[in-house]
Amino acid sequence: MKIILRADANKQVGFGHMSRVLSLGQILRTKFEVMLVTKSMPSDFIYEFSASGISIVEIGEVNLNEEIRKLRSFEPRNHCLVLDGYNFTSEYQRKIKSLEFRRVVLIDDMPSGEYFVDAIINHNPGVSALNYSIQRDTELYLGLKFALIRSAFL
């Protein structure tokens, strides 16, 4: 099984999403093959991911349907997908769920809308299940004990 991390980083969206998936990738790489799928990322992060043993696939600026097609090529039923970014809307989540990844996890720090993922990680203090409109089988991992901190800061 492979863990596929999906995040972007640039001046418009910032770098927090990429930092969190790098942290998670560093933890998971000891037991799984980890790959990052991204539209864009700065060269500093390319080095960090590569040095951590995480492969990188850049898909470029594609529309939703093209991105879904590219993700389908990774044989979703054999892998888990972790999303981190504000662009992963309810519509995006529904389309991703139709690919039948083993699990779809969303790292989310600003609850809004309805969620169609298997699990949500939110490290913010004070967040609760009441903040989320989720499916019956969605698991929530909430609070500071789920903070994703890069190994360089531990």
Side-chain angles (χ1 to χ4, degrees), residues 87-100:
N87 53 323
F88 302 122
T89 63
S90 297
E91 176 190 6
Y92 183 97
Q93 294 169 35
R94 282 184 185 182
K95 288 190 177 202
I96 288 296
K97 285 291 280 184
S98 73
L99 296 178
E100 298 182 358

Side-chain angles (χ1 to χ4, degrees), residues 75-90:
E75 301 177 17
R77 290 183 182 180
N78 299 324
H79 309 305
C80 293
L81 178 67
V82 178
L83 308 169
D84 190 347
Y86 302 130
N87 53 323
F88 302 122
T89 63
S90 297

Side-chain angles (χ1 to χ4, degrees), residues 68-144:
I68 296 297
R69 188 188 69 70
K70 289 184 180 216
L71 289 171
R72 184 178 288 122
S73 72
F74 296 122
E75 301 177 17
R77 290 183 182 180
N78 299 324
H79 309 305
C80 293
L81 178 67
V82 178
L83 308 169
D84 190 347
Y86 302 130
N87 53 323
F88 302 122
T89 63
S90 297
E91 176 190 6
Y92 183 97
Q93 294 169 35
R94 282 184 185 182
K95 288 190 177 202
I96 288 296
K97 285 291 280 184
S98 73
L99 296 178
E100 298 182 358
F101 278 92
R102 286 181 73 169
R103 293 201 32 98
V104 177
V105 178
L106 177 67
I107 300 171
D108 178 70
D109 59 2
M110 294 179 58
S112 67
E114 191 169 3
Y115 292 84
F116 298 92
V117 293
D118 298 304
I120 296 171
I121 300 169
N122 184 334
H123 62 270
N124 286 328
V127 69
S128 77
L130 297 175
N131 297 109
Y132 286 96
S133 175
I134 58 175
Q135 307 311 299
R136 188 172 0 125
D137 58 346
T138 300
E139 298 172 11
L140 294 173
Y141 300 94
L142 306 176
L144 288 173

Side-chain angles (χ1 to χ4, degrees), residues 51-80:
S52 296
I54 300 169
S55 60
I56 301 166
V57 175
E58 291 192 56
I59 59 173
E61 292 300 324
V62 295
N63 65 33
L64 176 58
N65 290 330
E66 183 64 16
E67 183 170 335
I68 296 297
R69 188 188 69 70
K70 289 184 180 216
L71 289 171
R72 184 178 288 122
S73 72
F74 296 122
E75 301 177 17
R77 290 183 182 180
N78 299 324
H79 309 305
C80 293

